[in-house]
């Protein structure tokens, strides 16, 4: 998709998937945080117009509706802080947010404040969050540009200083792989986004590895900024253009909930969305079941390394932190491994008290761990 010029543009299927992911995650995030804090904040640096050509909601409206539903069950408050550069989009956004407010009860709208500002997101967004005392309190920041790179590392570093901040950034690798090698200005944009020049090793990578390399460099950048856990979600639009959503949190619970959201959006692999109109998509086998064969192999390797085996909670934590899979998928995987004769369990019932050991001679646990290597 070319960068749209109109104030309001057509929503792509991959944007719908992005909104679905955001909604699924915020539906988990909001009640957890509202149960412990009086005020939580949702901020966007690139808010858009709040609506698409056919009337579909933009991300600020998606978020607003999630929070409105959460506030029906909680007496607390939510603040939305929205920045957008284009004045035409700001005007539309104001209209859309007023409509969202009018669709909700007055007492809900009164506890769900909206602060819209027109202008360049940086450093205005950070200043506003500082000034209003939102840093250090529960805060989710969506930095959803057209792919950039346009998020300075210095901003991520400031946000990452606080344990209660989570970020989701849209990152498009093609700009840097295509243009930056021969263009000083573009290379400098890359340096500012990554906070170092390490990413420039991409120029020496084979073509097939360039995007993966940049994605992993960007995850490393988020970790360097303080977000100890990162996840990525890959989106491919109708023209085969790849965008990554990169999520950073300092909480294992946030990691778990984002994985749950990702597996809901992509029930087969948990990490990607491909536009059905993309011709490459049509060449891929359609998989309707979760592809958990790599998880079985990864777990089998992990169990085999421990002479006394592993407990189910150990396997679940390992799955959460080291794989694309979810802790909730572990019990089924262990059962399948036992059925194939690869492991034994003690006792037989598989629950949090079960210890899992490699069978004396284990048959192969499944196909290659290609998906594990995606991490
Ligand atoms: C991908 S769109 C946002 C879409 C929106 N988050 C959604 O999902 O509905 C990116 C938006 O960022 C705005 N933008 C671009 N550069 C900006 C900047 N430096 N500061 C603030 N907004 C910017 C664009 O005008 C555009 O509306």
């Amino acid at each position: 998709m070319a960068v749209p010029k109109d104030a309001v543009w057509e929503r792509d299927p991959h944007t719908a998937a992005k909104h679905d992911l955001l909604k699924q995650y915020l539906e988990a995030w909001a009640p957890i945080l509202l149960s412990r804090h009086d005020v939580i904040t949702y901020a966007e640096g690139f808010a858009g117009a709040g609506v698409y050509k056919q009337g579909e909601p933009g991300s600020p409206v998606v978020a607003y509706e999630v929070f409105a539903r959460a506030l029906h069950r909680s007496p607390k408050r939510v603040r939305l802080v929205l920045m957008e550069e284009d004045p035409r989009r700001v005007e539309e956004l104001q209209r859309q947010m007023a409509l969202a407010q009018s669709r909700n009860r007055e007492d809900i709208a009164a506890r769900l404040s909206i602060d819209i500002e027109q202008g360049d997101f940086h450093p205005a967004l950070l200043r506003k969050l500082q000034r209003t005392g939102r840093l250090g309190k529960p805060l989710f920041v969506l930095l959803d540009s057209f792919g950039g790179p346009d998020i300075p590392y210095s901003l991520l570093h400031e946000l990452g200083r606080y344990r209660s901040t989570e970020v989701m950034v849209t990152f498009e690798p093609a700009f840097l792989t295509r243009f930056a090698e021969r263009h000083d200005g573009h290379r400098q944009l890359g340096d500012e986004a990554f906070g170092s020049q390490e990413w420039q090793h991409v120029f020496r990578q084979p073509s097939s590895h360039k995007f993966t390399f940049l994605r992993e460099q960007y995850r490393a950048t988020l970790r360097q900024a303080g977000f100890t856990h990162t996840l990525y979600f890959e989106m491919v639009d109708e023209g085969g253009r790849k965008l990554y959503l990169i999520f950073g949190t300092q909480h294992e619970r946030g990691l778990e909930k984002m994985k749950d959201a990702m597996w809901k959006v992509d029930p087969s692999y948990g990490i990607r969305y491909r536009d059905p109109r993309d011709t490459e998509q049509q060449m891929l086998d359609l998989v309707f079941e979760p592809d958990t064969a790599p998880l079985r192999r990864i777990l089998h390797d992990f169990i085999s390394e421990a002479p006394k085996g592993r407990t189910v909670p150990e396997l679940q934590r390992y799955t959460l932190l080291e794989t694309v899979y979810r802790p909730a998928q572990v019990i089924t995987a262990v059962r399948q491994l036992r059925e194939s004769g690869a492991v034994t369990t003690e006792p037989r019932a598989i629950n949090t008290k079960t210890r899992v050991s490699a069978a004396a001679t284990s048959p192969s646990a499944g196909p290659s761990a290609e998906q594990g290597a995606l991490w």
Side-chain angles (χ1 to χ4, degrees), residues 13-303:
H14 75 274
T15 301
K18 176 177 73 185
H19 291 167
D20 196 12
L21 185 65
L22 182 69
K23 173 173 166 285
Q24 302 284 354
Y25 183 68
L26 294 180
E27 278 176 351
W29 183 79
I32 294 171
L33 276 298
L34 286 171
S35 71
R36 292 192 223 127
H37 301 270
D38 289 341
V39 187
I40 65 174
T41 305
Y42 170 88
E44 287 207 36
F46 302 79
V51 69
Y52 287 83
K53 246 324 183 351
Q54 309 300 327
E56 307 93 333
S59 53
V61 175
V62 170
Y64 186 96
E65 299 294 356
V66 171
F67 296 134
R69 282 194 296 278
L71 289 180
H72 274 100
R73 297 182 297 273
S74 160
K76 311 289 185 60
R77 307 180 86 83
V78 181
R79 287 190 187 181
L80 267 67
V81 178
L82 307 171
M83 293 238 29
E84 166 59 49
E85 190 172 52
D86 184 325
R88 298 164 309 157
R89 291 177 184 157
V90 170
E91 200 179 310
E92 186 58 42
L93 180 62
Q94 277 161 339
R95 221 168 63 80
Q96 294 300 327
M97 297 316 286
L99 282 172
Q101 278 177 316
S102 68
R103 284 194 293 269
N104 282 282
R105 274 191 351 226
E106 256 176 45
D107 63 309
I108 299 287
R111 290 185 286 121
L112 185 35
S113 69
I114 304 170
D115 176 347
I116 301 175
E117 190 171 316
Q118 191 249 314
D120 188 358
F121 78 104
H122 191 69
L125 181 63
L126 185 63
R127 296 241 170 91
K128 188 185 279 283
L129 294 170
Q130 272 162 344
R131 209 173 46 243
T132 50
R134 301 328 305 155
L135 296 177
K137 313 265 169 58
L139 170 64
F140 183 95
V141 183
L142 177 63
L143 297 168
D144 178 32
S145 71
F146 287 116
D150 37 21
I151 317 297
Y153 174 76
S154 58
L155 171 61
L156 296 174
H157 185 67
E158 280 300 315
L159 295 173
R161 287 173 52 200
Y162 303 94
R163 254 180 75 71
S164 48
T165 302
E166 296 186 347
V167 287
M168 190 148 84
V169 181
T170 307
F171 172 64
E172 189 201 4
F175 176 81
L176 291 176
T177 56
R178 253 192 245 145
F179 305 118
E181 190 163 12
R182 278 178 289 278
H183 192 301
D184 290 349
H186 294 347
R187 250 196 335 275
Q188 200 180 327
L189 281 181
D191 294 351
E192 279 163 24
F194 285 89
S196 84
Q197 297 189 335
E198 283 277 296
W199 70 275
Q200 293 190 20
H201 292 301
V202 71
F203 303 132
R204 294 205 286 278
Q205 303 296 315
S207 303
S208 57
H209 282 99
K210 283 187 193 299
F211 283 10
T212 316
F213 179 84
L214 280 188
R215 181 193 74 210
E216 290 310 306
Q217 281 290 313
Y218 203 68
R219 289 178 71 195
T221 293
L222 278 191
R223 283 195 293 274
Q224 181 70 26
F227 299 98
T228 41
H229 306 300
T230 66
L231 289 171
Y232 72 89
F233 193 80
E234 180 182 301
M235 297 184 302
V236 180
D237 73 12
E238 78 279 15
R241 191 180 83 125
K242 202 174 267 188
L243 278 175
Y244 293 112
L245 291 175
I246 315 245
F247 169 71
T249 180
Q250 300 186 41
H251 293 273
E252 287 185 17
R253 192 119 190 249
L255 186 68
E256 187 176 347
K257 295 296 172 194
M258 182 55 87
K259 274 194 186 179
D260 288 347
M262 286 168 42
W263 278 89
K264 279 185 192 147
V265 178
D266 173 9
S268 304
Y269 299 101
I271 52 162
R272 71 174 181 216
Y273 173 82
R274 264 184 177 270
D275 190 314
R277 295 170 301 178
D278 171 35
T279 46
E280 262 187 57
Q281 163 70 21
Q282 289 153 23
M283 289 188 268
L284 291 174
D285 287 340
L286 287 175
V287 181
F288 296 107
E289 291 295 315
D291 182 8
T292 52
L295 173 64
R296 292 195 291 279
R297 210 185 106 114
I298 294 164
L299 288 180
H300 184 254
D301 287 350
F302 184 57
I303 294 162

Side-chain angles (χ1 to χ4, degrees), residues 296-297 300-301 304 336-344 357-367:
R296 292 195 291 279
R297 210 185 106 114
H300 184 254
D301 287 350
S304 303
Q336 290 166 336
L337 282 169
R338 189 176 64 191
E339 276 165 15
S340 72
V343 302
T344 58
S357 305
T361 50
S362 322
S364 162

